[in-house]
Amino acid sequence: MLGLLRAHGPLNRGELSRRCGLSRTTLHDTLSGLLATGAVISAMPDEAPRGRGRPAEKLALNPTVGQAIGIDFARRAVHVAAVGVTYEIVGSAGEAHAPGLPWADRVALAERLVRRLVGGGSWQRVLKGVGVGVVGPVAGARTGTLSGVGALLGERFGGPVLLDNNTRLAALAESTWGAATGDQDALYLRLSYGVGGGVVAGGVLHRGADGVSGEIGHIPVDPGGRPCECGGRGCLETVASIRAVLDAYRARGGRGDDLPALAAAVEAGDPIALGLLRNVGTEIGRVLAALSNAIGPRVIVIGGELAEVGAPLLGPVQEALDAGAVPISRHRLTLRRAALGDVAGALGGVALALGESPLLSRYPAAEPEPGPADSSAGRYGEAAARPRLALTPLS
Amino acid sequence: MLGLLRAHGPLNRGELSRRCGLSRTTLHDTLSGLLATGAVISAMPDEAPRGRGRPAEKLALNPTVGQAIGIDFARRAVHVAAVGVTYEIVGSAGEAHAPGLPWADRVALAERLVRRLVGGGSWQRVLKGVGVGVVGPVAGARTGTLSGVGALLGERFGGPVLLDNNTRLAALAESTWGAATGDQDALYLRLSYGVGGGVVAGGVLHRGADGVSGEIGHIPVDPGGRPCECGGRGCLETVASIRAVLDAYRARGGRGDDLPALAAAVEAGDPIALGLLRNVGTEIGRVLAALSNAIGPRVIVIGGELAEVGAPLLGPVQEALDAGAVPISRHRLTLRRAALGDVAGALGGVALALGESPLLSRYPAAEPEPGPADSSAGRYGEAAARPRLALTPLS
């Protein structure tokens, strides 16, 4: 019924009946339910048809009722987004928090943000799903793999919860609504407090064995480099994360404790900041060249707060990419800034929850599990039986 | 008809007629054509059914008649393989040649090898296609992209010719019949006179934009290193190809001009050879770790003649891979030796020509173009209109 109204716009009961083939009674019952949720509203046309009596009531979707919710639990912030039954974005919101905030508080913050966005109550009755991005590899794009957090989210939101890596979800969003829309082969890199990415290969979001893919931040670039929180050494993240760049800036005598200070120094032509960003950009470009030669993207999208410093970083990225990419790729490979900002991960969660993107066609089929208290971690087979996501324990 | 006989085994005319639903006349005509080609043979059962008269003639596939041919034009050899109408491998053959042999001679060599394998004449009438591997990126897996060579092959073999990168075809074969059979996510690396690879992502062979993927040999590992024939500098191929390893071996004072000499030195415990292979293996392992973190394979297959030196090379590859792969992958990622030897590329050509592997489900649909003199390079759209393969001109 919702699909018909989405495809055809407002219809009267007769038109709906013809198109859906339901009996008069079933149609009446279904419509009553939908009208009660507020997802479907009844409207009288402004003008009555000529030469007729009472104008026919039109039934339409209520664009303010959310049908899918995306949540991105980033390292230092929660972002949420929602789409309505019309599949248009209702809105998005986000709030920073201290690193290491307990999971219960992060979930509560997400809930506050979502309720602010889509209002209370009835939207839950038409909720298709909640797509949730978390840091680290996720084995299955389904509830149950992160049993504690998944169950808690299911209880709070009352809909099926699908979990995935948040940077891969950002790649999904950039390929759905952002800088790589329509590109069959794309590589996404996010430069934030963590460094990660996502791969779209042959028109589909690539998940990788055990949900490991897009871990670009953990590609070693300096075997003798600094220890990384993944347990490795000299990973790209130890060079190109916001924290790493700010630390290196201060170590070289730069003054500034945060990204706006660094951006101001760059703006003022500070040679320490510019030289540093050149080195960092070169390392990033080398990694992207290596991956491009192996994977063959048409477009590389760079997002995350660090990318906002622009040309002083992205120029050297482009130079190193050109130097390292096979000749045939050099003039065909485009480097683009991300288009969706810090809400990309949450928007990717929405796309995951809707589950209708061709980009997800090789993802494990989502089997929606209705709502509350669904903490049956074992029911999704092998992947679910062995939770694989390294996360702060639920507090 | 061939499909029915492949699926059900020998059938008599009545059974065939029931299963295919063709009229008696059409069935008779079709069968006569197939019997004339030799693809279908007629056989009388050994025993007559009890209580009946003349035993019913059974029609069966002739396992010696080839239906798909694969050719791998490697740098210094031509390899061919064929499958019969039963989809069983008829056989394979190969012959080394001097580097730089003109294309006309390479095609003639391929033709000799194929004719030796599948005999002369009638097999061409049931030929489904010829899958051809060449060095370098190939934009479309179809005839016409390499118009000269494609047309020449079409003339000689009289079937539709599908072209692709030969190392990607080797990856396809290893995923179909070899070391990665059944793995949904696999990375293949070939260490030969060239260094290249292939990516199987989510159960499909990945092609990449403009047919560029798997160019692992052109990933720079040493920005100040030796010039590579791709135009770059310090590519993995300048370190890990057979030529590069032999050159480095002599430069360090080692004695030996070819791979058997190096293998003998390794066998004898020559510290120069062992130290060199350790360095080369470490470089290879670092590249594989970087790619694994981004792509997430379950299995990495290493083939090519150089891999045959075994543990002195592959041990250090494994160590560097373990050191650089994200922790979650380390115990789940398997390094395997390739299983199909130097005929892998040709076998991949067979799989491409058959076109029925799920691994090819996201490849551009092959539109078989019947045989001879089909040199219409422009008809396959944009990719075909601009041939993209850098190859020695047809002489």
Side-chain angles (χ1 to χ4, degrees):
Chain A
M1 202 76 75
L2 296 175
L4 280 174
L5 293 171
R6 199 175 292 125
H8 300 287
L11 299 171
N12 64 36
R13 284 169 193 261
E15 291 161 342
L16 260 178
S17 168
R18 275 194 299 281
R19 289 183 189 274
C20 69
L22 293 178
S23 74
R24 197 184 165 86
T25 321
T26 313
L27 180 75
H28 181 268
D29 291 351
T30 309
L31 271 179
S32 299
L34 287 170
L35 284 161
T37 65
V40 172
I41 48 180
S42 160
M44 293 305 222
D46 289 342
E47 287 178 38
R50 284 167 198 275
R52 295 273 199 97
R54 177 166 164 271
E57 174 200 28
K58 288 271 187 184
L59 296 154
L61 296 175
N62 179 355
T64 69
V65 169
Q67 207 189 5
I69 288 166
I71 304 173
D72 178 2
F73 290 110
R75 282 167 203 242
R76 297 170 177 230
V78 174
H79 297 280
V80 305
V83 297
V85 281
T86 55
Y87 282 14
E88 278 157 24
I89 304 287
V90 171
S92 63
E95 197 171 305
H97 60 69
L101 186 73
W103 268 106
D105 296 340
R106 295 166 82 185
V107 171
L109 172 55
E111 193 181 356
R112 277 204 306 282
L113 292 169
V114 168
R115 289 194 185 278
R116 204 184 299 160
L117 206 62
V118 294
S122 61
W123 58 271
Q124 287 192 329
R125 295 176 57 183
V126 291
L127 189 63
K128 190 158 181 180
V130 185
V132 179
V134 291
V135 172
V138 177
R142 297 169 179 182
T143 179
T145 54
L146 242 178
S147 49
V149 175
L152 187 57
L153 287 163
E155 277 168 35
R156 295 294 182 88
F157 291 97
V161 176
L162 308 175
L163 292 167
D164 207 343
N165 172 273
N166 64 346
T167 314
R168 194 151 62 226
L169 291 183
L172 173 61
E174 290 288 351
S175 292
T176 306
W177 296 292
T181 307
D183 287 296
Q184 295 295 293
D185 294 285
L187 188 60
Y188 171 78
L189 175 69
R190 178 147 74 169
L191 302 167
S192 181
Y193 291 95
V195 172
V199 176
V200 168
V204 302
L205 184 66
H206 178 53
R207 190 160 154 277
D210 299 319
V212 177
S213 75
E215 292 291 346
I216 302 175
H218 299 294
I219 292 177
V221 296
D222 177 7
R226 300 169 66 183
C228 178
E229 69 176 38
C230 78
R233 188 172 278 279
C235 297
L236 183 62
E237 189 167 293
T238 68
V239 171
S241 74
I242 293 173
R243 197 75 270 152
V245 170
L246 290 174
D247 286 352
Y249 182 55
R250 281 193 306 274
R252 293 178 182 204
R255 289 184 189 183
D257 247 5
D258 56 13
L259 207 49
L262 180 71
V266 167
E267 190 70 29
D270 172 10
I272 298 175
L274 292 172
L276 174 63
L277 291 180
R278 166 157 291 281
N279 293 352
V280 171
T282 301
E283 292 291 359
I284 294 168
R286 283 181 186 159
V287 166
L288 293 178
L291 299 182
S292 297
N293 290 347
I295 307 174
R298 167 84 66 214
V299 74
I300 297 179
V301 174
I302 302 195
E305 302 93 312
L306 188 64
E308 287 160 26
V309 303
L313 179 73
L314 300 181
V317 170
Q318 179 81 61
E319 284 169 36
L321 180 61
D322 285 347
V326 287
I328 194 178
S329 295
R330 265 170 224 168
H331 303 291
R332 299 203 174 103
L333 181 57
T334 309
L335 193 66
R336 282 190 207 139
R337 291 276 289 280
L340 302 175
D342 56 13
V343 79
L347 287 172
V350 163
L352 184 69
L354 289 177
E356 296 182 4
S357 167
L359 287 156
L360 296 168
S361 61
R362 298 194 78 85
Y363 250 59
E367 296 160 16
E369 286 296 321
D374 172 20
S375 60
S376 50
R379 84 165 63 163
Y380 297 96
E382 187 249 23
R386 295 191 276 147
R388 277 164 178 158
L389 190 68
L391 269 173
T392 322
L394 200 66
S395 49
Chain B
M1 200 78 74
L2 294 176
L4 280 174
L5 292 171
R6 199 175 292 126
H8 299 287
L11 298 173
N12 65 37
R13 283 170 193 261
E15 290 161 342
L16 261 178
S17 170
R18 275 193 300 281
R19 288 183 190 275
C20 69
L22 292 178
S23 75
R24 196 187 167 83
T25 321
T26 313
L27 179 76
H28 181 268
D29 291 350
T30 309
L31 272 179
S32 299
L34 287 170
L35 285 162
T37 66
V40 172
I41 49 180
S42 161
M44 293 306 222
D46 289 341
E47 287 179 36
R50 284 165 198 275
R52 293 274 198 99
R54 179 168 162 269
E57 175 200 27
K58 287 272 185 184
L59 297 155
L61 296 176
N62 179 355
T64 68
V65 170
Q67 206 188 9
I69 288 165
I71 304 173
D72 178 1
F73 289 111
R75 282 167 204 244
R76 297 169 178 233
V78 174
H79 296 281
V80 304
V83 296
V85 282
T86 55
Y87 281 14
E88 279 158 24
I89 304 286
V90 171
S92 62
E95 196 171 305
H97 60 68
L101 187 73
W103 268 107
D105 296 341
R106 296 165 82 184
V107 171
L109 172 54
E111 195 182 355
R112 276 204 308 281
L113 292 169
V114 168
R115 288 193 185 279
R116 205 182 297 160
L117 207 63
V118 295
S122 61
W123 58 272
Q124 287 192 328
R125 294 178 58 182
V126 291
L127 189 63
K128 190 158 181 180
V130 184
V132 178
V134 291
V135 172
V138 178
R142 296 170 178 181
T143 180
T145 53
L146 244 175
S147 49
V149 176
L152 187 56
L153 287 162
E155 277 169 35
R156 295 294 182 89
F157 290 96
V161 175
L162 307 175
L163 291 168
D164 207 342
N165 172 273
N166 63 347
T167 314
R168 193 150 64 227
L169 291 183
L172 173 62
E174 289 289 350
S175 291
T176 306
W177 295 293
T181 308
D183 287 296
Q184 295 294 293
D185 293 286
L187 188 60
Y188 171 77
L189 175 69
R190 177 149 73 170
L191 303 168
S192 181
Y193 290 93
V195 173
V199 177
V200 168
V204 302
L205 183 67
H206 178 53
R207 191 161 153 274
D210 299 320
V212 178
S213 76
E215 292 290 347
I216 303 175
H218 299 295
I219 293 179
V221 295
D222 177 6
R226 298 169 67 183
C228 179
E229 68 177 38
C230 79
R233 189 172 277 280
C235 297
L236 183 62
E237 189 168 293
T238 68
V239 172
S241 74
I242 293 174
R243 195 77 270 151
V245 171
L246 290 175
D247 286 351
Y249 182 55
R250 281 190 306 273
R252 293 177 182 206
R255 289 184 190 180
D257 245 7
D258 56 14
L259 207 48
L262 180 71
V266 167
E267 190 71 27
D270 172 11
I272 298 176
L274 292 171
L276 173 64
L277 290 180
R278 167 157 290 281
N279 293 352
V280 171
T282 301
E283 293 291 359
I284 294 168
R286 283 182 185 157
V287 166
L288 293 178
L291 298 182
S292 296
N293 291 347
I295 307 173
R298 168 82 69 216
V299 75
I300 297 179
V301 174
I302 302 194
E305 300 94 314
L306 189 62
E308 287 161 26
V309 303
L313 178 73
L314 300 181
V317 170
Q318 179 82 60
E319 284 169 35
L321 180 61
D322 285 346
V326 288
I328 193 178
S329 296
R330 266 170 224 167
H331 303 291
R332 298 202 175 104
L333 181 57
T334 309
L335 194 66
R336 280 189 208 141
R337 291 275 290 279
L340 302 176
D342 55 13
V343 80
L347 287 171
V350 163
L352 184 70
L354 290 177
E356 295 181 7
S357 167
L359 286 156
L360 295 170
S361 61
R362 297 195 78 85
Y363 250 60
E367 295 160 15
E369 286 296 321
D374 173 20
S375 60
S376 49
R379 81 164 67 163
Y380 296 93
E382 188 248 24
R386 295 191 277 148
R388 278 165 177 157
L389 189 69
L391 270 172
T392 321
L394 200 68
S395 49

